[in-house]
Amino acid sequence: MINGLIGCKLGMTQVFLEGRGLIPVTVLELGPCKVVQVKTVEKDGYQAAQISFGNVKEGRLVKPLVGHYGKAGVAPSKFLREFHGGEDLLAGQVLSADIFSEGDFVDVTGTSRGKGFQGVMKRHNYGGGRKTHGSRFHRAPGSIGSSAYPSHVFKNKGMPGQMGNERVTAEGLEVIDVRLEENLVLVKGAVPGGTKGLVVVRKSLKRRLKQGK
Amino acid sequence: MNRLERLEEGLIKKDTPEMKIGQTVRVHVRIKEGDKERIQVYEGIVIRIKGTRNRRTFTVRKISFGVGVERIFPFNSPFIDQVETVREGKVRRAKLYYLRERTGRAARITEKARVYPTQQKSVSKIPEVKAEVKAEVKAEVKVKPEPKAKTKATPKVKPEE
């Protein structure tokens, strides 16, 4: 068994749940994922399963990758990701969203929406200055450190720069519904990235640690 | 239609209430107190219908003890027991936000002129009332067999419901 799948985000909606009211959910298309390669400790030094998602034309891939898929007997795919485990899997096997069930908790990893080069007010929630009354200090970061001591700027000081378009994980999201015939999983709350963005969904790490698994 | 839209279509409740902007409606809301459930009636004017598919909502405005109150209900809500239409309003826009700036007599909406066919339609919109109204109409028809009496009898019966 492996503890995760890859898929894409379809968007958000809402569902009414008995006794819980209106719940915001993100709809994820998870699977069918195909096992492309099973890595073993003897051969590769670690145990993992490589799985693929999404159809793509063969011509869109480089030839070594076409060969890689061909070896497993899997149709060329858009995405390829590795998961720990998978001792019981075979190359070419198809995985579906049935590894998740209602009430499970999952971590969802995606690439957040790019917001470009942003200032400190948007990027780090700095307060900024007054807009009026003769103020000449509006959205600037202000002082970034002291003089004689420590005579340098501390690491991780919030500065302007690229915001978004980075790998983000939303942890501990509840699975609200699993629709196997459509390969859909409904997860409570928001998920990083835009519609059609790739998401990696794993069983919640912190929940697993808590339960001692 | 994309996959998300198809999913949303499937989430729509089968018996969502029907209403129009400007109608005065009575919304029967299920309220849970502890383990007891009771029904509260909220009456007001429908001033807004927004959203699509399973996310549609309607806003009902009323004046409660001199204070304007607006309540937003999802059409899909399981807490709505039923929605009765009390009165049809004659309105010319889709959102009646202008009512917020008005009070008293200015905040009224003129009732839709009751033409014979329209009347028939509005009666059929209230399934529970329908049978009773028909029975009463029939009883009155027996007394006065004139067809015109039939139409005039219906509006009189409705506000009592």
Side-chain angles (χ1 to χ4, degrees):
Chain A
M1 272 305 287
I2 59 172
N3 52 29
L5 276 186
I6 55 179
C8 72
K9 175 171 159 179
L10 291 186
M12 290 191 75
T13 183
Q14 55 191 21
V15 290
F16 271 102
L17 287 190
E18 188 83 26
R20 290 179 60 181
L22 196 55
I23 308 276
V25 293
T26 306
V27 182
L28 304 175
E29 182 184 0
L30 288 188
C33 294
K34 285 162 192 147
V35 181
V36 180
Q37 188 187 0
V38 178
K39 296 192 174 176
T40 58
V41 179
E42 300 88 64
K43 212 174 165 194
D44 307 282
Y46 64 103
Q47 179 65 47
Q50 204 179 54
I51 63 174
S52 71
F53 174 79
N55 292 330
V56 72
K57 281 186 202 163
E58 201 179 302
R60 301 262 184 251
L61 300 175
V62 294
K63 277 190 178 167
L65 212 46
V66 175
H68 184 58
Y69 284 118
K71 205 173 160 191
V74 173
S77 308
K78 218 168 179 177
F79 302 109
L80 208 54
R81 289 291 183 280
E82 236 177 61
F83 288 87
H84 289 307
E87 298 89 345
D88 53 340
L89 298 178
L90 293 167
Q93 205 175 329
V94 180
L95 302 171
S96 69
D98 58 2
I99 65 165
F100 301 112
S101 55
E102 222 178 290
D104 279 358
F105 288 86
V106 292
D107 297 339
V108 182
T109 305
T111 305
S112 65
R113 282 188 188 153
K115 291 172 170 65
F117 192 102
Q118 293 297 333
V120 288
M121 284 180 70
K122 188 180 173 78
R123 193 168 181 235
H124 299 293
N125 294 325
Y126 280 22
R130 290 195 80 153
K131 286 178 184 164
T132 53
H133 289 278
S135 166
R136 283 151 64 200
F137 180 77
H138 304 298
R139 301 184 62 92
S143 165
I144 55 171
S146 312
S147 169
Y149 177 81
S151 73
H152 67 92
V153 176
F154 286 115
K155 261 190 177 175
N156 301 325
K157 175 73 199 157
M159 296 281 217
Q162 163 70 30
M163 185 179 172
N165 195 18
E166 57 174 349
R167 184 186 158 100
V168 176
T169 303
E171 290 181 319
L173 305 181
E174 187 185 345
V175 176
I176 298 293
D177 198 1
V178 179
R179 302 185 174 207
L180 280 181
E181 62 284 357
E182 298 158 284
N183 294 311
L184 297 183
V185 172
L186 273 59
V187 159
K188 185 181 171 185
V191 157
T195 304
K196 294 178 193 168
L198 174 75
V199 288
V200 179
V201 183
R202 293 187 197 81
K203 287 186 179 161
S204 173
L205 178 67
K206 283 176 181 169
R207 292 267 166 177
R208 273 188 288 147
L209 292 176
K210 231 183 211 175
Q211 289 163 358
K213 282 180 193 172
Chain B
M1 218 177 1
N2 67 31
R3 293 191 65 182
L4 180 67
E5 286 168 356
R6 231 176 299 144
L7 175 104
E8 287 192 323
E9 291 284 348
L11 289 172
I12 300 174
K13 242 180 26 171
K14 270 173 197 151
D15 50 344
T16 49
E18 267 182 54
M19 71 193 63
K20 281 178 182 165
I21 296 290
Q23 277 180 347
T24 304
V25 293
R26 291 164 68 87
V27 186
H28 294 242
V29 190
R30 282 202 201 103
I31 290 178
K32 251 193 180 163
E33 284 169 336
D35 48 353
K36 269 187 193 168
E37 202 182 73
R38 64 184 181 87
I39 284 177
Q40 197 179 57
V41 180
Y42 181 90
E43 183 176 333
I45 300 169
V46 181
I47 66 162
R48 163 172 60 191
I49 293 174
K50 70 166 221 173
T52 48
R53 296 180 290 276
N54 67 327
R55 300 187 308 257
R56 272 174 87 213
T57 62
F58 61 95
T59 305
V60 181
R61 178 179 172 86
K62 75 166 180 183
I63 306 293
S64 173
F65 300 104
V67 180
V69 177
E70 281 178 19
R71 212 167 151 181
I72 304 167
F73 299 97
F75 276 91
N76 232 15
S77 171
F79 301 108
I80 298 176
D81 188 57
Q82 57 154 320
V83 178
E84 296 174 55
T85 311
V86 179
R87 209 177 299 139
E88 302 247 350
K90 188 184 166 192
V91 290
R92 302 178 69 168
R93 53 210 69 218
K95 308 276 192 272
L96 305 182
Y97 298 143
Y98 68 87
L99 288 180
R100 291 171 177 168
E101 280 111 55
R102 297 192 189 181
T103 51
R105 292 176 66 84
R108 284 173 313 151
I109 294 176
T110 48
E111 198 159 348
K112 222 174 203 172
R114 290 184 184 274
V115 196
Y116 185 72
T118 337
Q119 181 53 42
Q120 290 270 303
K121 248 188 209 169
S122 69
V123 168
S124 65
K125 259 180 201 165
I126 318 159
E128 277 91 351
V129 184
K130 198 178 157 189
E132 288 166 32
V133 171
K134 266 196 177 168
E136 276 172 85
V137 168
K138 268 185 191 170
E140 281 193 48
V141 166
K142 272 178 196 169
V143 185
K144 303 178 215 167
E146 233 177 89
K148 270 191 181 175
K150 206 177 180 179
T151 49
K152 279 178 185 171
T154 18
K156 275 178 198 166
V157 175
K158 245 182 73 189
E160 284 166 25
E161 284 304 316

